[in-house]
Amino acid sequence: MIHILVFNIVQGAVCLYALLLGGRPERWIAVMLLAASLATWLVPFDPSTSFRSVDMLTLGIDLTLMIGLIVVAMRANRFWPVWLAALHLLALGIHGVRGLDSDLMPWMYAAAAGKLAYPMILILALGVMRHRRRLALYGRDPDWARSWGGARERSS
């Protein structure tokens, strides 16, 4: 289970980086990723039965994370959260494949779901790096986009 330890160390380091040096979108997503990981860690695991069918608790955690990622992607003045949400949508699709194909090997279901977390963490790290770069170049980096309707026009 060394790969789980490595993942937790890498994710913890990147999320700490985002919490300390990121803007609000980076910090929000770091908190969401950490909360989802903690919640998933609390789901009971039994090697003889896990990944043999869709785990509804894990699916609920992933759906909740997806909603949060979509909200940040829609509001953030950044493009990278869209990519993060898209990758997580693939993870949700893996649950759907498991639900539709009972012949899917449990190890394949587990591996596919787990491997998508690594590029998600990389995208978060790159998002923080780009935020820091914009701060250095321009002195500011607005966190949130203006409202969807734009600025209201004043009637004369």
Side-chain angles (χ1 to χ4, degrees), residues 68-96:
L69 293 174
I70 289 171
V71 168
V72 171
M74 290 174 63
R75 299 293 298 152
N77 191 29
R78 320 264 197 273
F79 191 72
W80 67 266
V82 174
W83 287 99
L84 202 77
L87 279 173
H88 193 62
L89 185 59
L90 288 174
L92 282 173
I94 292 166
H95 289 294

Side-chain angles (χ1 to χ4, degrees), residues 32-145:
M32 286 189 282
L33 291 177
L34 289 172
S37 289
L38 177 62
T40 302
W41 185 74
L42 294 173
V43 171
F45 177 77
D46 179 6
S48 65
T49 60
S50 293
F51 299 108
R52 299 203 184 284
S53 64
V54 176
D55 184 332
M56 297 311 279
L57 290 173
T58 305
L59 178 60
I61 293 165
D62 283 345
L63 281 171
T64 303
L65 178 59
M66 186 76 226
I67 291 166
L69 293 174
I70 289 171
V71 168
V72 171
M74 290 174 63
R75 299 293 298 152
N77 191 29
R78 320 264 197 273
F79 191 72
W80 67 266
V82 174
W83 287 99
L84 202 77
L87 279 173
H88 193 62
L89 185 59
L90 288 174
L92 282 173
I94 292 166
H95 289 294
V97 169
R98 176 72 230 169
L100 292 173
D101 185 1
S102 60
D103 293 333
L104 182 67
M105 301 299 270
W107 67 266
M108 189 176 279
Y109 176 39
K115 299 301 183 229
L116 286 169
Y118 286 99
M120 290 174 68
I121 294 168
L122 176 64
I123 289 171
L124 175 59
L126 292 172
V128 175
M129 288 170 35
R130 290 181 50 89
H131 168 70
R132 301 301 305 170
R133 182 170 179 244
R134 286 187 298 270
L135 284 176
L137 288 173
Y138 307 115
R140 61 187 295 267
D141 185 22
D143 291 327
W144 306 112

